[in-house]
Amino acid sequence: WCVAVWEALYGQRPHRGETLGALCTAVLDGAIEAPSRRDIPRFVEIALRRGLSVSPEARFPSMEALLRAIEDDPRV
């Protein structure tokens, strides 16, 4: 879900790889490309990065928790 939302918001995939092997390596290394757009709130990027974490323990405990993090603008 986080990969799809990242691509929808930023117009690029979070991980780069010219081949399937390179893509797998980037995913497993946690190598996330810097977003091309800067008009998306930082807290959304942080939540998506957490959702893309290689370690299951580092991700959100549930989809509801992830959605709350994306919805809850700390500036409001």
Side-chain angles (χ1 to χ4, degrees), residues 13-24:
R13 293 181 179 167
H15 306 95
R16 181 180 302 251
E18 295 299 319
T19 65
L20 181 58
L23 178 60
C24 289

Side-chain angles (χ1 to χ4, degrees), residues 3-28:
V3 170
V5 172
W6 186 282
E7 192 167 352
L9 290 176
Y10 298 114
Q12 68 186 58
R13 293 181 179 167
H15 306 95
R16 181 180 302 251
E18 295 299 319
T19 65
L20 181 58
L23 178 60
C24 289
T25 298
V27 170
L28 294 175

